[in-house]
Amino acid sequence: MAETLLSIGLEVAAIHILGIIAACHAVMNTRTSQGAVAWAVALVSIPYLTLIPYLFLGRSRFAGYVDEHRFNSARARARTEAEVNQSRVTVNARCDAAADPELRRFVALDRLVGRRFLAGNDVSLLCNGKATFDAIFETISRAEHYVLVQFFVVRNDRLGRELQKRLLERAAAGVKVYFLYDGIGSHALARSYVEALRAGGVQVHAFAIRRFSNRFQLNFRNHRKIVVVDGQVAFVGGHNVGVEYLGENPKLSPWRDTHVRLSGPIVAQVQRTFSEDWYWVTEELPETRMPDSTPGDMKCLAVASGPADNQETGSLYIVQAIHAARRRIWLASPYFVPDSAVQSALRLAVLRGVDVRVLVPCRPDHFMVYQASLFHTYEAVRAGVRMYRYQPGFMHQKVVLIDDDTAAVGSANLDNRSFRLNFELTVLTVSQAFAAQVEAMLVADFARAEEVKPDEWARIPLLPRVVMHVARMFAPVL
C-alpha cells in the first residue's frame, strides 16, 4: 500500500514538474501576453488536463515553417519575380501608395505585406454559395492552361463531387490542375476522393507540417480559399467546399457568406500566394501565367498573412484598417474574439466619432468560440461599438467596409486564430463603386440583424456569465 501511494505521489509530482516546465516554455515562446498567461496558469494549476493539449495547440509559431517556409518562400518569390517584372500589365499597374491620395492612408499595409497596390482591376461580389460556385464552375469549365484550387475544408458531398468532376474534366482535356487542401480542416475527406483526382491527372496535396519535430503542431491551418484560372480570373472569400455553404445544413441554414471574383493584375498576387503554399508542400512551383489585361479601374492589394510572418500581419492589417477609417468602419465576422490591439483600435475609432459596427451570427457553430465571442460582444457594446446579431441563419462572411471608398473580402476572421495561427488571404479594394455595392449588401444584412442593447448583460444569469468568462480565458488559443 505504501509503495502504491509513493508511486502515485511520484507520478503526480512528475506531472506537475512537467507542467511547470511547459509553463516556462509557454512564457518564453507564446507570442501574446494573454496567451502566455492563459497557458502558464492552466499548465501549473491543472497539468493533467492541459499538458497534452499544449503539445498540439501550445505554440503560435512552429520552427519547421518559420525556418523552412521563409527560405522556400524567398526562393519561390525570386523565381516568380522575374515573371512579374517581365509582364507589362503587372509592372504598369503598380501604385505608389505614399504618393497616391486615395492610398496614402494604407501605405503601412503596402509595406507590411511587401506588395504594391495594383490598379486596373475588376471585382465582383458573390453573396451566397450558389452564386459563388456557379461562377467558379463556369470559369473552371473555360480553363485552357491551368487551374489552381485551394480550400480549407473540402467534403466528399454533392458540392465536393461536382468540383471533383469539373477538375477531372479539365485535366482530361490537357489542362494542368493543382489542388491544395488543408490536412486538418479536411481531415474527414475520404482517401478515395483524393485518389480519384490523382488517377485523373490532377496534382493534389494536403497542406501539412512535414517535419517530424513538428508532428504535434496541429494548431496551424491553411485557411485560405483560392481559385485561379489561367492567371486571368481569381476567386477569394469565405466559402469552403461543402453543401452547408449552399445552405443545406438545417442547423445553420440559411448560410450567409461572401466571395469575390477578381480579374486584372491583382490575380498575379493571389496566384503567387497559392504558389508559395504549393512550393512549401512540393518544393516545386506550378506553371503560371501573368494577367494580360486591365479590365477595370479598381486598385487592389492582396493581404496574405500567417504564423511564419516576420510581423503579426493579420492583427496589424485589421488595426490599420480601423485607424484608416474617418467616417465609418463596418465589419462582419463569424467569430469576434479580438486581441487587445484590435479592441483598442475599435475604442479609439468610437471616441473620434467613427460609426463602428460589427455583424456577428446569432447561432453558434463552435460552442467555446461562440461563448468567447459573446463576452467580447458585450465588452465592445460597453465601449460604444454597435454590435449586431444576424438572425436568419449562420453568418460566415469576412468583410470590412471603410468610409465610402474601401472594402475588403477574404478568409480572415476577427479572432486570434486568424490573426496569428492561420494562413489567410484578404483582398482590399479601393473603389467608390465597389464600396457602394458592399455597403448595400451590409445594409441588407444589418436589416436582418438585431442590435445588442447596452442593458442586455445585466439580464444574463450568473452561470452563462461564468461560462463566457471561462471561454474568454482561452481566447488566445481558440
Side-chain angles (χ1 to χ4, degrees), residues 40-59:
V41 170
L43 288 164
V44 170
S45 59
I46 46 172
Y48 323 97
L49 301 178
T50 54
L51 267 173
I52 292 177
Y54 184 72
L55 288 174
F56 293 93
L57 308 175
R59 293 169 63 191

Side-chain angles (χ1 to χ4, degrees), residues 225-297:
K225 294 91 172 165
I226 296 172
V227 175
V228 179
V229 174
D230 293 342
Q232 308 306 311
V233 179
F235 297 87
V236 172
H239 288 93
N240 286 297
V241 182
V243 295
E244 65 267 35
Y245 294 85
L246 300 177
E248 296 183 17
N249 181 341
K251 293 182 179 179
L252 300 173
S253 180
W255 189 278
R256 175 72 187 90
D257 219 329
T258 300
H259 234 70
V260 286
R261 179 189 185 276
L262 311 164
S263 58
I266 188 62
V267 175
Q269 291 184 353
V270 174
Q271 73 178 7
R272 285 185 67 183
T273 300
F274 177 93
S275 295
E276 289 181 16
D277 288 342
W278 186 264
Y279 195 83
W280 160 248
V281 176
T282 67
E283 295 189 355
E284 297 177 353
L285 285 172
E287 297 180 19
T288 60
R289 300 180 174 214
M290 291 295 105
D292 58 18
S293 64
T294 52
D297 60 357

Side-chain angles (χ1 to χ4, degrees), residues 137 140-141 143 147 149 156 159-179 191-204:
F137 292 157
I140 288 175
S141 70
V147 180
V149 179
N156 186 17
L159 183 62
R161 288 189 292 273
E162 181 64 23
L163 175 63
Q164 181 190 58
K165 172 188 169 185
R166 301 276 181 156
L167 296 180
L168 289 172
E169 288 175 351
R170 299 321 298 150
V175 174
K176 293 183 180 297
V177 181
Y178 304 87
F179 192 131
R191 181 183 294 273
S192 60
Y193 184 98
V194 176
E195 292 304 323
L197 287 170
R198 287 204 178 105
V202 175
Q203 299 184 53
V204 55

Side-chain angles (χ1 to χ4, degrees), residues 68-109:
E68 196 167 336
H69 173 76
R70 285 181 183 165
F71 174 73
N72 284 347
S73 292
R75 192 161 52 181
R77 280 194 297 271
R79 293 176 61 182
T80 58
E81 190 69 32
E83 291 184 22
V84 175
N85 289 336
Q86 290 170 7
S87 169
R88 176 186 57 81
V89 171
T90 53
V91 170
N92 291 343
R94 289 172 177 168
C95 303
D96 184 353
D100 189 324
E102 282 189 317
L103 304 179
R104 195 171 296 140
R105 58 199 165 130
F106 298 114
V107 67
L109 287 182

Side-chain angles (χ1 to χ4, degrees), residues 127-409:
C127 297
N128 57 59
K130 185 179 186 307
T132 295
F133 286 101
D134 282 352
I136 288 174
F137 292 157
E138 192 274 334
T139 305
I140 288 175
S141 70
R142 292 187 283 105
E144 297 179 354
H145 305 288
Y146 65 87
V147 180
L148 313 178
V149 179
Q150 179 176 1
F151 285 99
F152 175 60
V153 176
V154 180
R155 302 199 191 282
N156 186 17
D157 57 17
R158 180 172 64 82
L159 183 62
R161 288 189 292 273
E162 181 64 23
L163 175 63
Q164 181 190 58
K165 172 188 169 185
R166 301 276 181 156
L167 296 180
L168 289 172
E169 288 175 351
R170 299 321 298 150
V175 174
K176 293 183 180 297
V177 181
Y178 304 87
F179 192 131
L180 193 62
Y181 64 93
D182 185 77
I184 303 300
S186 302
H187 66 277
L189 185 63
R191 181 183 294 273
S192 60
Y193 184 98
V194 176
E195 292 304 323
L197 287 170
R198 287 204 178 105
V202 175
Q203 299 184 53
V204 55
H205 294 280
F207 183 92
I209 301 160
R210 295 178 299 150
R211 284 192 173 184
F212 181 77
S213 61
N214 291 313
R215 64 196 179 280
F216 294 125
Q217 295 302 320
L218 303 181
N219 206 23
F220 309 99
R221 302 165 192 173
N222 199 313
H223 197 237
R224 293 167 180 153
K225 294 91 172 165
I226 296 172
V227 175
V228 179
V229 174
D230 293 342
Q232 308 306 311
V233 179
F235 297 87
V236 172
H239 288 93
N240 286 297
V241 182
V243 295
E244 65 267 35
Y245 294 85
L246 300 177
E248 296 183 17
N249 181 341
K251 293 182 179 179
L252 300 173
S253 180
W255 189 278
R256 175 72 187 90
D257 219 329
T258 300
H259 234 70
V260 286
R261 179 189 185 276
L262 311 164
S263 58
I266 188 62
V267 175
Q269 291 184 353
V270 174
Q271 73 178 7
R272 285 185 67 183
T273 300
F274 177 93
S275 295
E276 289 181 16
D277 288 342
W278 186 264
Y279 195 83
W280 160 248
V281 176
T282 67
E283 295 189 355
E284 297 177 353
L285 285 172
E287 297 180 19
T288 60
R289 300 180 174 214
M290 291 295 105
D292 58 18
S293 64
T294 52
D297 60 357
M298 302 181 185
K299 299 171 184 176
C300 299
L301 176 70
V303 181
S305 61
D309 294 352
N310 288 315
Q311 302 196 59
E312 295 177 346
T313 308
S315 177
L316 290 173
Y317 150 66
I318 290 293
V319 169
Q320 171 58 26
I322 297 168
H323 285 327
R326 295 294 175 263
R327 191 177 71 81
R328 71 170 167 200
I329 181 160
W330 295 355
L331 306 106
S333 172
Y335 315 116
F336 182 67
V337 192
D339 61 12
S340 58
V342 173
Q343 292 178 49
S344 298
L346 290 171
R347 291 173 181 175
L348 286 170
V350 171
L351 291 173
R352 65 176 185 266
V354 175
D355 175 13
V356 182
R357 304 186 194 184
V358 181
L359 183 68
V360 295
C362 71
R363 300 186 198 178
D365 67 334
H366 299 294
F367 177 77
M368 285 296 287
V369 181
Y370 185 73
Q371 295 301 317
S373 294
L374 281 176
F375 178 88
H376 286 285
T377 292
Y378 293 121
E379 288 283 291
V381 169
R382 280 193 286 272
V385 177
R386 299 183 68 183
M387 301 292 303
Y388 292 80
R389 294 196 188 99
Y390 185 74
Q391 297 298 308
F394 189 69
M395 197 280 303
H396 189 255
Q397 64 180 327
K398 306 91 166 52
V399 177
V400 179
L401 177 64
I402 305 169
D403 296 339
D404 297 320
D405 64 348
T406 305
V409 178

Side-chain angles (χ1 to χ4, degrees), residues 456-468:
E456 189 174 312
W457 174 262
R459 300 195 301 271
I460 298 175
L462 177 60
L463 182 58
R465 289 196 203 183
V466 172
V467 172
M468 282 184 254

